[in-house]
Amino acid sequence: TTERAALGLGLRFDVSGRDGAARWVVARIHSRGAALGRVSVGDVLAKVNGRPAFAFDRQSLNTMMKQRPLKVLFQRRTVKVSSLKVAATVLSLSAETPYPVDIF
């Protein structure tokens, strides 16, 4: 299941998993939030004040995020340029293509 928790940094998280194994993924960043320009959508909250974020449920995470001073650590998934490949053929689409096309 996915639930959302709005937190004081101007972040909204999607959380998946169970208590003790939650994965907090940044889903939205408020335009006036302190996290703007420092955190990106898709980043995963790893630690809050030195404690692993996966161990928190929504209520305990909200409590932790209100502590001051607050130190949070996020993980960002990156794509290595060397893993990107160029297609061997040219892809040609016209305005008449009757279905959506996903390019991977």
Side-chain angles (χ1 to χ4, degrees):
T1 64
T2 299
E3 59 183 24
R4 299 187 189 278
L7 303 176
L9 294 174
L11 298 174
R12 184 168 295 267
F13 291 91
D14 283 338
V15 60
S16 59
R18 300 180 187 154
D19 290 347
R23 186 166 187 258
W24 298 91
V25 181
V26 176
R28 192 169 132 209
I29 303 167
H30 191 278
S31 62
R32 294 183 185 170
L36 186 65
R38 295 179 176 98
V39 178
S40 297
V41 170
D43 287 355
V44 177
L45 181 62
K47 290 186 178 185
V48 180
N49 286 343
R51 297 178 60 194
F54 66 81
F56 297 116
D57 60 18
R58 182 173 42 92
Q59 183 177 358
S60 59
L61 182 62
N62 278 329
T63 300
M64 288 293 293
M65 296 295 275
K66 291 176 185 175
Q67 292 182 1
R68 298 296 183 265
L70 176 65
K71 183 176 180 181
V72 290
L73 176 68
F74 290 87
Q75 293 177 326
R76 180 168 295 156
R77 184 176 173 187
T78 58
V79 177
K80 293 182 180 179
V81 174
S82 63
S83 68
L84 300 177
K85 297 181 181 178
V86 177
T89 59
V90 175
L91 177 63
S92 177
L93 300 175
S94 69
E96 295 81 30
T97 303
Y99 48 86
V101 176
D102 292 325
I103 300 173
F104 300 96

